[in-house]
Amino acid sequence: MDHAGRRRRLASRLDDLQAGAFLVTRLPNVRYLTGFTGSNGQLILTSNDGIFLTDSRYMEQARRELPDLRRDKYSVEFASRVFQACKELGADRVAFEASGVSYKLYSDLLATGIELVPTTDEIETLRRVKEADELKAVEAAQAIADQAFEAIVGEFFAGVTEREMALDLDTAMRRLGADGLAFQTILAFGESSAEPHHAPSDRPLALGDVVKLDFGCVIDGYHSDMTRTVSFGEPPAELRDIYEIVRTAQQLGVDSARPGMSGGDLDEVVRNVIKEAGYGDQFGHGLGHGVGLEIHEAPWLRSGGKDVLDPGTVVTVEPGIYLEGVGGIRIEDMVALTPDGCRVLASTTKELLVL
């Protein structure tokens, strides 16, 4: 991946920001700009130089992963080391990520005499459009999710718990080569599926339950995200009807997604189908979100959202209908925007599977 090119693009923003350096502290952004995969690292970037900072645990790892950057370590006084680094780089006015600096660190940095310039989404904006290698990693993570679903979908039986099946699904993804889980797997039976983000419990599976599975994994730092809802035996008639409403709405979202439209416009297209079916109040969350180095990142697909979809962005399309005490249906695909539409990354069927 072209980390140096990414740093150059960020550095080109310094004049507009009226800053001599950019302090990057959010780990996903540090990874995007440097390739560093450890849990503690920061980057100070100028128009023609940069210093990567970490602690002694990661110096050898940084040497391997960041051979083209100057590297240095610090112990406890991070703010003073930032001040020293900025002095070495000839920068006294420093841009920083407003969402990545705590109030304490902000206060400590100010106390050193550095002039601080808050920024919002400078690096996140660069990350929206995926490069070929990034898209390849997202596709690899999605392929594992598809294979894991196929591996466990026939393993459900009466009496098995949500927690047990979630563990089986997580284990399947790891056995298939995932570096880790994209997030805590959501696996819900029956009435629990009416909770959009249900944590697996000891609730046992019973005949007639719908089963909602929302899961994904990580490959080379990049995430996958997919939701499928199946049924263990014949589901209640209303949930079968709702399934078809959600499937129709979700497919319309996939078919309608195209570059240049806003996330709000696509949300409205899908939401109108559910509203017209009489379930508008039961679809409370946004239609979707970007996926990449973070499981939730820009662009956002939600009511009134202004984020524009560009070719190369990867977003989820995930409408749902949730009936308290009865159950819920959600269907979710990641799609990659192409010059004239989008491409679905998942291969798992969206027909209702009755197990």
Side-chain angles (χ1 to χ4, degrees):
M1 297 186 184
D2 185 13
H3 300 111
R6 296 169 181 175
R7 294 195 295 273
R8 286 193 295 271
R9 289 196 294 276
L10 178 61
S12 71
R13 292 282 300 142
L14 287 171
D15 284 346
D16 289 339
L17 295 171
Q18 298 182 339
F22 202 118
L23 171 63
V24 185
T25 53
R26 291 195 66 237
L27 277 174
N29 291 339
V30 171
R31 180 165 186 165
Y32 180 77
L33 294 168
T34 68
F36 178 69
T37 63
S39 66
N40 182 43
Q42 300 81 31
L43 174 67
I44 305 171
L45 184 69
T46 66
S47 59
N48 56 12
D49 203 352
I51 298 177
F52 175 80
L53 299 176
T54 188
D55 62 72
S56 60
R57 297 171 299 166
Y58 292 110
M59 284 302 292
E60 179 59 20
Q61 179 178 340
R63 185 191 65 78
R64 293 195 318 271
E65 295 181 341
L66 290 70
D68 58 340
L69 269 174
R70 191 169 14 151
R71 303 168 299 279
D72 203 354
K73 64 182 176 181
Y74 61 90
S75 53
V76 292
E77 268 302 317
F78 177 64
S80 62
R81 185 62 189 94
V82 171
F83 172 76
Q84 293 167 9
C86 290
K87 194 171 182 180
E88 293 172 40
L89 295 167
D92 55 11
R93 186 172 165 84
V94 180
F96 71 96
E97 301 170 281
S99 63
V101 170
S102 68
Y103 181 74
K104 181 181 185 307
L105 178 55
Y106 175 80
S107 301
D108 290 346
L109 289 170
L110 280 181
T112 69
I114 295 175
E115 189 175 355
L116 296 173
V117 180
T119 70
T120 302
D121 294 339
E122 287 288 335
I123 305 165
E124 287 81 358
T125 297
L126 297 178
R127 285 170 43 195
R128 287 191 187 193
V129 175
K130 272 44 179 184
E131 300 164 5
D133 286 345
E134 293 180 285
L135 187 55
K136 183 178 178 181
V138 171
E139 290 174 326
Q142 178 58 55
I144 286 177
D146 283 316
Q147 294 171 54
F149 178 86
E150 183 178 356
I152 70 105
V153 74
E155 301 301 313
F156 289 90
F157 60 89
V160 70
T161 69
E162 294 171 340
R163 201 187 309 273
E164 289 167 336
M165 289 309 301
L167 177 60
D168 286 350
L169 180 54
D170 295 349
T171 301
M173 287 188 284
R174 294 304 297 261
R175 284 178 173 160
L176 287 162
D179 297 335
L181 304 179
F183 50 91
Q184 181 180 332
T185 293
I186 298 166
L187 200 146
F189 298 160
E191 72 288 343
S192 297
S193 62
E195 300 176 38
H197 277 194
H198 174 73
S201 71
D202 291 323
R203 198 272 200 196
L205 183 63
L207 199 63
D209 283 342
V210 293
V211 178
K212 184 177 67 191
L213 308 94
D214 186 348
F215 62 101
C217 67
V218 179
I219 292 290
D220 294 334
Y222 288 82
H223 297 68
S224 62
D225 193 0
M226 178 172 78
T227 305
R228 290 295 185 268
T229 306
V230 301
S231 180
F232 185 66
E234 185 61 26
E238 185 176 20
L239 288 180
R240 180 177 271 281
D241 292 343
I242 286 174
Y243 189 95
E244 291 307 314
I245 295 167
V246 172
R247 187 166 71 94
T248 298
Q250 200 270 347
Q251 189 60 52
L252 179 61
V254 169
D255 294 340
S256 302
R258 65 186 184 278
M261 74 187 309
S262 71
D265 288 342
L266 187 56
D267 181 285
E268 184 177 14
V269 166
V270 176
R271 195 171 298 276
N272 282 342
V273 174
I274 294 175
K275 283 182 178 178
E276 290 170 5
Y279 292 100
D281 291 341
Q282 285 73 46
F283 176 25
H285 57 74
L287 177 63
H289 53 85
V291 181
L293 283 170
E294 294 179 276
I295 189 60
H296 299 112
E297 60 181 47
W300 305 98
L301 283 58
R302 54 194 175 198
S303 295
K306 303 300 183 184
D307 286 358
V308 175
L309 306 182
D310 295 313
T313 56
V314 175
V315 298
T316 65
V317 180
E318 50 177 305
I321 296 175
Y322 311 94
L323 303 182
E324 184 179 355
V326 178
I329 305 294
R330 182 164 68 248
I331 301 172
E332 173 188 20
D333 288 321
M334 292 192 303
V335 301
L337 275 291
T338 63
D340 56 0
C342 74
R343 179 168 59 89
V344 176
L345 302 186
S347 61
T348 299
T349 183
K350 290 180 279 191
E351 297 287 339
L352 177 60
L353 295 179
V354 178
L355 308 178

Coordinates of all heavy atoms in Angstrom, one line a residue, residues 230-314:
V230 N -32.2 -16.0 9.2 CA -32.7 -17.3 8.8 C -33.8 -17.7 9.8 O -34.1 -17.0 10.7 CB -31.6 -18.3 8.7 CG1 -30.5 -17.9 7.7 CG2 -31.0 -18.6 10.1
S231 N -34.5 -18.8 9.5 CA -35.5 -19.3 10.4 C -35.3 -20.8 10.8 O -34.9 -21.6 9.9 CB -36.9 -19.1 9.7 OG -37.9 -19.6 10.6
F232 N -35.5 -21.1 12.0 CA -35.3 -22.5 12.5 C -36.8 -23.0 12.5 O -37.5 -22.9 13.4 CB -34.7 -22.5 13.9 CG -34.4 -23.9 14.4 CD1 -33.5 -24.7 13.7 CD2 -35.1 -24.4 15.4 CE1 -33.2 -26.0 14.2 CE2 -34.9 -25.7 15.9 CZ -33.9 -26.5 15.3
G233 N -37.1 -23.7 11.4 CA -38.5 -24.1 11.2 C -39.3 -23.0 10.6 O -38.7 -21.9 10.4
E234 N -40.5 -23.2 10.4 CA -41.4 -22.1 9.8 C -41.5 -21.0 10.7 O -41.9 -21.2 11.9 CB -42.8 -22.7 9.4 CG -43.7 -21.8 8.7 CD -43.1 -21.3 7.3 OE1 -42.3 -22.1 6.7 OE2 -43.4 -20.2 6.9
P235 N -41.3 -19.7 10.3 CA -41.4 -18.6 11.2 C -42.8 -18.1 11.3 O -43.7 -18.5 10.5 CB -40.5 -17.5 10.4 CG -40.7 -17.8 9.0 CD -40.8 -19.4 8.9
P236 N -43.1 -17.3 12.2 CA -44.5 -16.7 12.3 C -44.8 -16.0 11.0 O -43.9 -15.4 10.3 CB -44.3 -15.6 13.4 CG -43.2 -16.2 14.3 CD -42.3 -16.8 13.3
A237 N -46.0 -16.0 10.6 CA -46.5 -15.5 9.3 C -46.1 -14.0 9.1 O -45.6 -13.6 8.0 CB -48.0 -15.7 9.1
E238 N -46.2 -13.2 10.2 CA -45.9 -11.8 10.0 C -44.4 -11.6 9.8 O -44.0 -10.7 8.9 CB -46.3 -11.0 11.3 CG -46.1 -9.5 11.1 CD -46.6 -8.7 12.3 OE1 -46.7 -9.3 13.4 OE2 -46.8 -7.5 12.1
L239 N -43.6 -12.4 10.4 CA -42.1 -12.2 10.2 C -41.7 -12.7 8.8 O -40.8 -12.2 8.2 CB -41.3 -13.0 11.2 CG -41.3 -12.4 12.6 CD1 -40.5 -13.2 13.6 CD2 -40.8 -10.9 12.6
R240 N -42.4 -13.7 8.3 CA -42.2 -14.1 6.9 C -42.5 -13.0 5.9 O -41.8 -12.7 5.0 CB -42.9 -15.4 6.5 CG -42.7 -15.9 5.1 CD -43.4 -17.2 4.8 NE -42.6 -18.3 5.1 CZ -41.6 -18.8 4.3 NH1 -41.3 -18.2 3.2 NH2 -41.0 -19.9 4.7
D241 N -43.7 -12.4 6.2 CA -44.0 -11.2 5.3 C -43.0 -10.1 5.4 O -42.6 -9.5 4.4 CB -45.4 -10.7 5.7 CG -46.5 -11.7 5.4 OD1 -46.3 -12.6 4.6 OD2 -47.6 -11.6 6.0
I242 N -42.6 -9.8 6.7 CA -41.6 -8.7 6.9 C -40.3 -9.0 6.2 O -39.6 -8.2 5.7 CB -41.5 -8.5 8.4 CG1 -42.7 -7.8 9.0 CG2 -40.2 -7.7 8.7 CD1 -42.7 -7.6 10.5
Y243 N -39.9 -10.3 6.2 CA -38.7 -10.7 5.6 C -38.7 -10.2 4.1 O -37.7 -9.7 3.6 CB -38.5 -12.2 5.6 CG -37.1 -12.6 5.2 CD1 -36.1 -12.8 6.1 CD2 -36.8 -12.8 3.8 CE1 -34.8 -13.1 5.6 CE2 -35.6 -13.1 3.4 CZ -34.6 -13.3 4.3 OH -33.3 -13.6 3.8
E244 N -39.8 -10.5 3.4 CA -39.9 -10.1 2.0 C -39.9 -8.6 1.8 O -39.3 -8.1 0.8 CB -41.1 -10.7 1.4 CG -41.1 -12.2 1.3 CD -39.8 -12.7 0.5 OE1 -39.5 -12.1 -0.5 OE2 -39.1 -13.6 1.0
I245 N -40.5 -7.9 2.8 CA -40.4 -6.4 2.7 C -39.0 -5.9 2.8 O -38.5 -5.1 2.0 CB -41.3 -5.8 3.8 CG1 -42.8 -6.1 3.6 CG2 -41.1 -4.2 3.8 CD1 -43.7 -5.8 4.8
V246 N -38.3 -6.5 3.8 CA -36.9 -6.0 4.0 C -36.0 -6.5 2.8 O -35.2 -5.7 2.4 CB -36.3 -6.6 5.3 CG1 -34.8 -6.4 5.5 CG2 -37.1 -6.0 6.5
R247 N -36.2 -7.6 2.3 CA -35.4 -8.1 1.2 C -35.7 -7.2 0.0 O -34.7 -6.9 -0.8 CB -35.7 -9.6 0.9 CG -34.8 -10.2 -0.2 CD -35.0 -11.7 -0.2 NE -36.2 -12.1 -0.8 CZ -36.4 -12.4 -2.1 NH1 -35.5 -12.3 -2.9 NH2 -37.6 -12.8 -2.5
T248 N -36.9 -6.9 -0.3 CA -37.2 -6.0 -1.4 C -36.6 -4.6 -1.2 O -36.0 -4.1 -2.2 CB -38.7 -5.9 -1.6 OG1 -39.3 -7.1 -1.8 CG2 -39.1 -4.9 -2.7
A249 N -36.7 -4.1 0.0 CA -36.1 -2.8 0.2 C -34.6 -2.8 0.1 O -34.0 -1.9 -0.5 CB -36.5 -2.3 1.6
Q250 N -34.0 -3.8 0.6 CA -32.5 -4.0 0.6 C -32.0 -4.1 -0.8 O -31.0 -3.5 -1.2 CB -32.1 -5.2 1.4 CG -30.6 -5.1 1.9 CD -29.7 -5.8 0.9 OE1 -30.1 -6.5 0.0 NE2 -28.4 -5.5 1.0
Q251 N -32.7 -4.9 -1.6 CA -32.3 -5.1 -3.0 C -32.5 -3.8 -3.8 O -31.6 -3.5 -4.7 CB -33.1 -6.2 -3.7 CG -32.6 -6.6 -5.1 CD -31.2 -7.1 -5.0 OE1 -30.8 -8.0 -4.2 NE2 -30.3 -6.5 -5.9
L252 N -33.5 -3.0 -3.5 CA -33.7 -1.7 -4.2 C -32.5 -0.8 -3.8 O -32.1 0.0 -4.7 CB -35.0 -1.1 -3.7 CG -35.3 0.3 -4.4 CD1 -35.4 0.2 -5.9 CD2 -36.6 0.8 -3.8
G253 N -32.1 -0.9 -2.6 CA -30.9 0.0 -2.2 C -29.7 -0.4 -2.9 O -29.0 0.5 -3.4
V254 N -29.5 -1.7 -3.1 CA -28.3 -2.1 -3.9 C -28.4 -1.7 -5.3 O -27.5 -1.2 -5.9 CB -28.2 -3.7 -3.8 CG1 -27.2 -4.2 -4.8 CG2 -27.8 -4.1 -2.3
D255 N -29.6 -1.9 -5.9 CA -29.8 -1.5 -7.3 C -29.8 0.0 -7.5 O -29.4 0.4 -8.6 CB -31.2 -2.1 -7.8 CG -31.3 -3.6 -7.8 OD1 -30.2 -4.2 -7.8 OD2 -32.4 -4.1 -7.8
S256 N -30.1 0.8 -6.5 CA -30.1 2.2 -6.7 C -28.8 2.9 -6.4 O -28.6 4.1 -6.8 CB -31.2 2.8 -5.8 OG -32.5 2.2 -6.0
A257 N -27.9 2.3 -5.6 CA -26.7 2.9 -5.2 C -25.8 3.3 -6.4 O -25.6 2.4 -7.3 CB -25.9 2.0 -4.3
R258 N -25.4 4.5 -6.5 CA -24.6 5.0 -7.6 C -23.7 6.1 -7.2 O -24.1 6.9 -6.3 CB -25.4 5.3 -8.8 CG -26.3 6.5 -8.6 CD -27.3 6.8 -9.7 NE -28.1 8.0 -9.5 CZ -29.1 8.1 -8.7 NH1 -29.6 7.0 -8.1 NH2 -29.8 9.2 -8.6
P259 N -22.6 6.4 -7.8 CA -21.8 7.5 -7.5 C -22.5 8.8 -7.7 O -23.3 9.0 -8.6 CB -20.6 7.4 -8.4 CG -20.5 6.0 -8.8 CD -22.0 5.5 -8.9
G260 N -22.2 9.8 -6.8 CA -22.8 11.1 -6.9 C -24.0 11.3 -6.0 O -24.4 12.5 -5.7
M261 N -24.7 10.2 -5.7 CA -25.8 10.4 -4.8 C -25.4 10.5 -3.4 O -24.3 10.1 -3.0 CB -26.9 9.3 -5.0 CG -26.5 7.9 -4.4 SD -27.7 6.6 -4.8 CE -29.2 7.3 -4.4
S262 N -26.2 11.1 -2.5 CA -25.9 11.3 -1.1 C -26.3 10.0 -0.3 O -27.2 9.3 -0.7 CB -26.5 12.5 -0.5 OG -27.9 12.4 -0.4
G263 N -25.7 9.9 0.8 CA -26.1 8.8 1.7 C -27.6 9.0 2.1 O -28.3 8.0 2.3
G264 N -28.0 10.3 2.3 CA -29.4 10.5 2.7 C -30.4 10.2 1.6 O -31.5 9.7 1.8
D265 N -30.0 10.4 0.3 CA -30.8 10.0 -0.8 C -31.1 8.5 -0.9 O -32.2 8.1 -1.1 CB -30.2 10.5 -2.1 CG -30.3 12.0 -2.3 OD1 -31.1 12.7 -1.6 OD2 -29.5 12.6 -3.1
L266 N -30.0 7.7 -0.7 CA -30.1 6.3 -0.8 C -30.9 5.8 0.4 O -31.8 4.9 0.3 CB -28.7 5.6 -0.8 CG -28.7 4.1 -1.0 CD1 -29.5 3.8 -2.3 CD2 -27.3 3.6 -1.1
D267 N -30.7 6.4 1.6 CA -31.5 6.0 2.8 C -33.0 6.2 2.5 O -33.8 5.4 2.8 CB -31.0 6.8 4.0 CG -31.8 6.5 5.3 OD1 -33.0 6.9 5.4 OD2 -31.2 5.9 6.1
E268 N -33.3 7.3 1.9 CA -34.7 7.6 1.6 C -35.3 6.6 0.7 O -36.5 6.2 0.8 CB -34.8 9.1 1.1 CG -36.3 9.5 0.8 CD -36.3 10.9 0.3 OE1 -35.3 11.5 -0.1 OE2 -37.4 11.5 0.4
V269 N -34.6 6.3 -0.4 CA -35.1 5.3 -1.3 C -35.5 4.0 -0.6 O -36.6 3.5 -0.9 CB -34.0 5.0 -2.4 CG1 -34.4 3.7 -3.2 CG2 -33.8 6.2 -3.3
V270 N -34.7 3.5 0.2 CA -35.0 2.3 0.9 C -36.0 2.4 2.0 O -36.9 1.6 2.2 CB -33.7 1.7 1.5 CG1 -33.9 0.4 2.3 CG2 -32.7 1.4 0.4
R271 N -35.9 3.5 2.8 CA -36.8 3.8 3.9 C -38.3 3.9 3.4 O -39.2 3.5 4.1 CB -36.4 5.0 4.7 CG -37.0 5.1 6.0 CD -36.3 6.3 6.8 NE -34.9 6.0 7.0 CZ -34.5 5.2 8.0 NH1 -35.3 4.7 8.9 NH2 -33.2 5.0 8.2
N272 N -38.4 4.5 2.2 CA -39.8 4.7 1.7 C -40.5 3.3 1.5 O -41.7 3.3 1.7 CB -39.8 5.5 0.4 CG -39.6 7.0 0.6 OD1 -39.8 7.4 1.7 ND2 -39.1 7.7 -0.4
V273 N -39.8 2.3 1.1 CA -40.4 1.0 0.9 C -40.9 0.5 2.2 O -42.1 0.0 2.2 CB -39.4 0.0 0.3 CG1 -40.0 -1.4 0.2 CG2 -38.9 0.4 -1.1
I274 N -40.2 0.6 3.2 CA -40.6 0.1 4.6 C -41.7 1.0 5.1 O -42.7 0.5 5.7 CB -39.4 0.1 5.5 CG1 -38.4 -1.0 5.0 CG2 -39.8 -0.2 6.9 CD1 -37.1 -1.1 5.7
K275 N -41.7 2.3 4.9 CA -42.7 3.2 5.3 C -44.0 2.8 4.6 O -45.1 2.7 5.3 CB -42.4 4.7 5.0 CG -41.4 5.3 6.0 CD -41.2 6.7 5.6 CE -40.2 7.4 6.6 NZ -40.0 8.9 6.2
E276 N -44.0 2.6 3.3 CA -45.2 2.3 2.6 C -45.8 1.0 3.0 O -47.0 0.8 2.8 CB -44.9 2.3 1.1 CG -44.6 3.7 0.5 CD -44.1 3.7 -0.9 OE1 -44.0 2.6 -1.5 OE2 -43.7 4.8 -1.4
A277 N -45.0 0.1 3.5 CA -45.5 -1.2 4.0 C -46.1 -1.1 5.4 O -46.6 -2.1 5.9 CB -44.4 -2.2 4.0
G278 N -46.0 0.1 6.0 CA -46.5 0.3 7.3 C -45.6 0.1 8.5 O -46.1 0.1 9.6
Y279 N -44.3 0.0 8.2 CA -43.3 -0.4 9.3 C -42.3 0.7 9.5 O -41.2 0.5 10.0 CB -42.7 -1.7 9.0 CG -43.6 -2.9 9.1 CD1 -44.2 -3.4 8.0 CD2 -44.0 -3.4 10.4 CE1 -45.0 -4.5 8.1 CE2 -44.8 -4.5 10.5 CZ -45.4 -5.0 9.3 OH -46.2 -6.1 9.4
G280 N -42.6 2.0 9.0 CA -41.6 3.0 9.1 C -41.0 3.2 10.5 O -39.9 3.5 10.7
D281 N -41.9 3.2 11.5 CA -41.5 3.4 12.9 C -40.6 2.2 13.5 O -40.0 2.4 14.5 CB -42.7 3.6 13.8 CG -43.4 4.9 13.6 OD1 -42.8 5.8 13.0 OD2 -44.6 5.0 13.9
Q282 N -40.7 1.1 12.8 CA -39.9 -0.1 13.2 C -38.5 -0.2 12.5 O -37.8 -1.2 12.7 CB -40.7 -1.4 13.0 CG -41.8 -1.6 14.0 CD -43.0 -0.6 13.8 OE1 -43.4 -0.4 12.7 NE2 -43.5 0.0 14.9
F283 N -38.2 0.9 11.8 CA -36.8 0.9 11.2 C -36.2 2.2 11.7 O -36.3 3.3 11.1 CB -37.0 0.9 9.6 CG -35.7 1.1 8.9 CD1 -34.4 0.8 9.4 CD2 -35.7 1.6 7.6 CE1 -33.2 0.9 8.7 CE2 -34.5 1.8 6.9 CZ -33.3 1.4 7.4
G284 N -35.5 2.1 12.8 CA -35.0 3.3 13.5 C -33.6 3.7 13.2 O -33.3 4.9 13.5
H285 N -32.8 2.8 12.7 CA -31.4 3.2 12.5 C -31.2 3.6 11.0 O -32.0 3.5 10.2 CB -30.5 2.0 12.9 CG -30.8 0.7 12.1 ND1 -30.4 0.5 10.8 CD2 -31.4 -0.4 12.6 CE1 -30.8 -0.7 10.5 NE2 -31.4 -1.3 11.5
G286 N -29.9 4.1 10.8 CA -29.6 4.5 9.4 C -29.4 3.3 8.5 O -29.3 2.2 8.9
L287 N -29.4 3.6 7.2 CA -29.3 2.5 6.2 C -28.0 1.8 6.2 O -27.9 0.6 5.9 CB -29.6 3.1 4.8 CG -29.5 2.1 3.7 CD1 -30.5 1.0 3.8 CD2 -29.7 2.8 2.3
G288 N -26.9 2.6 6.5 CA -25.6 1.9 6.4 C -24.5 2.9 6.7 O -24.7 4.0 7.1
H289 N -23.3 2.4 6.4 CA -22.1 3.2 6.8 C -20.9 2.7 6.0 O -21.0 1.6 5.4 CB -21.7 3.0 8.3 CG -21.7 1.5 8.7 ND1 -20.6 0.7 8.6 CD2 -22.6 0.7 9.2 CE1 -20.8 -0.5 9.0 NE2 -22.1 -0.6 9.4
G290 N -19.8 3.4 5.9 CA -18.6 3.0 5.3 C -17.9 1.9 6.1 O -18.1 1.8 7.3
V291 N -17.1 1.1 5.4 CA -16.3 0.0 6.1 C -14.9 0.1 5.5 O -14.7 0.2 4.3 CB -17.0 -1.4 5.8 CG1 -16.2 -2.5 6.5 CG2 -18.4 -1.4 6.2
G292 N -14.0 -0.1 6.4 CA -12.6 -0.2 5.9 C -11.7 -0.5 7.1 O -11.8 -1.6 7.7
L293 N -10.8 0.4 7.5 CA -9.9 0.2 8.6 C -10.7 0.2 9.9 O -10.2 -0.2 11.0 CB -8.8 1.2 8.7 CG -7.6 1.0 7.7 CD1 -6.7 2.2 7.6 CD2 -6.8 -0.3 8.1
E294 N -11.9 0.8 9.9 CA -12.8 0.8 11.0 C -14.1 0.1 10.5 O -14.5 0.2 9.3 CB -13.1 2.2 11.5 CG -11.9 2.8 12.1 CD -12.1 4.2 12.6 OE1 -12.1 5.1 11.8 OE2 -12.4 4.4 13.9
I295 N -14.8 -0.5 11.4 CA -16.1 -1.2 11.0 C -17.2 -0.1 10.7 O -18.1 -0.4 9.9 CB -16.5 -2.2 12.1 CG1 -17.7 -3.0 11.6 CG2 -16.9 -1.4 13.4 CD1 -17.5 -3.8 10.4
H296 N -17.1 1.0 11.4 CA -18.0 2.1 11.1 C -17.2 3.3 10.8 O -16.5 3.9 11.6 CB -18.9 2.4 12.3 CG -19.8 1.3 12.7 ND1 -19.7 0.6 13.9 CD2 -20.9 0.7 12.1 CE1 -20.6 -0.3 14.0 NE2 -21.3 -0.3 12.9
E297 N -17.3 3.8 9.5 CA -16.5 5.0 9.1 C -17.3 5.7 8.0 O -18.3 5.2 7.5 CB -15.1 4.6 8.6 CG -15.1 3.6 7.5 CD -13.6 3.3 7.1 OE1 -12.8 2.9 7.9 OE2 -13.3 3.3 5.8
A298 N -16.9 6.9 7.6 CA -17.5 7.6 6.5 C -17.4 6.8 5.2 O -16.4 6.1 5.0 CB -16.9 9.0 6.4
P299 N -18.3 7.0 4.3 CA -19.5 7.9 4.4 C -20.7 7.2 5.1 O -20.7 6.0 5.3 CB -19.9 8.1 2.9 CG -19.4 6.8 2.2 CD -18.2 6.4 3.0
W300 N -21.6 8.0 5.6 CA -22.7 7.6 6.4 C -24.0 7.6 5.6 O -24.3 8.6 4.9 CB -22.9 8.4 7.7 CG -21.6 8.5 8.5 CD1 -20.7 9.5 8.5 CD2 -21.1 7.5 9.4 NE1 -19.6 9.1 9.3 CE2 -19.9 7.9 9.9 CE3 -21.6 6.2 9.8 CZ2 -19.1 7.2 10.8 CZ3 -20.9 5.5 10.7 CH2 -19.7 6.0 11.2
L301 N -24.8 6.6 5.6 CA -26.1 6.5 4.9 C -27.2 6.6 6.0 O -27.5 5.6 6.7 CB -26.2 5.2 4.2 CG -25.4 5.0 2.8 CD1 -23.9 5.2 3.0 CD2 -25.7 3.7 2.2
R302 N -27.8 7.8 6.1 CA -28.8 8.0 7.1 C -29.7 9.1 6.7 O -29.3 9.9 5.8 CB -28.1 8.4 8.5 CG -27.1 9.5 8.4 CD -26.3 9.6 9.7 NE -25.3 10.6 9.6 CZ -24.2 10.6 10.4 NH1 -24.1 9.7 11.4 NH2 -23.3 11.6 10.3
S303 N -30.8 9.3 7.3 CA -31.8 10.3 6.9 C -31.2 11.7 6.9 O -30.6 12.1 7.9 CB -33.0 10.2 7.9 OG -33.7 9.0 7.8
G304 N -31.3 12.3 5.8 CA -30.8 13.7 5.7 C -29.3 13.8 5.5 O -28.8 14.9 5.5
G305 N -28.6 12.6 5.4 CA -27.2 12.7 5.3 C -26.7 13.3 4.0 O -27.3 13.1 3.0
K306 N -25.6 14.0 4.1 CA -25.1 14.8 3.0 C -23.8 14.1 2.4 O -23.3 14.6 1.4 CB -24.7 16.2 3.4 CG -25.9 17.0 3.9 CD -27.0 17.1 2.9 CE -28.2 18.0 3.5 NZ -29.3 18.0 2.6
D307 N -23.3 13.0 3.0 CA -22.1 12.4 2.5 C -22.3 11.9 1.1 O -23.3 11.2 0.8 CB -21.7 11.2 3.4 CG -21.1 11.7 4.7 OD1 -20.9 12.9 4.9 OD2 -20.7 10.8 5.5
V308 N -21.4 12.2 0.2 CA -21.6 11.8 -1.2 C -20.9 10.5 -1.4 O -19.8 10.2 -0.9 CB -21.0 12.9 -2.2 CG1 -21.1 12.4 -3.6 CG2 -21.8 14.2 -2.0
L309 N -21.5 9.6 -2.2 CA -20.9 8.3 -2.5 C -20.0 8.5 -3.8 O -20.5 8.9 -4.8 CB -22.0 7.3 -2.8 CG -23.0 7.1 -1.7 CD1 -24.0 6.0 -2.0 CD2 -22.3 6.8 -0.3
D310 N -18.8 8.1 -3.7 CA -17.8 8.2 -4.8 C -17.4 6.8 -5.2 O -17.5 5.8 -4.4 CB -16.6 9.0 -4.3 CG -16.9 10.4 -4.0 OD1 -17.5 11.1 -4.8 OD2 -16.4 10.9 -2.9
P311 N -17.0 6.7 -6.5 CA -16.5 5.4 -6.9 C -15.3 4.9 -6.0 O -14.5 5.7 -5.7 CB -16.0 5.6 -8.3 CG -16.8 6.8 -8.8 CD -17.0 7.6 -7.6
G312 N -15.3 3.7 -5.6 CA -14.3 3.2 -4.7 C -14.6 3.2 -3.3 O -13.9 2.6 -2.4
T313 N -15.8 3.8 -2.9 CA -16.2 3.7 -1.5 C -16.9 2.4 -1.2 O -17.5 1.8 -2.1 CB -17.2 4.9 -1.1 OG1 -18.3 4.8 -2.0 CG2 -16.5 6.2 -1.2
V314 N -16.7 1.9 0.0 CA -17.4 0.6 0.4 C -18.4 1.0 1.5 O -18.0 1.6 2.5 CB -16.4 -0.4 0.9 CG1 -17.1 -1.7 1.4 CG2 -15.4 -0.8 -0.3

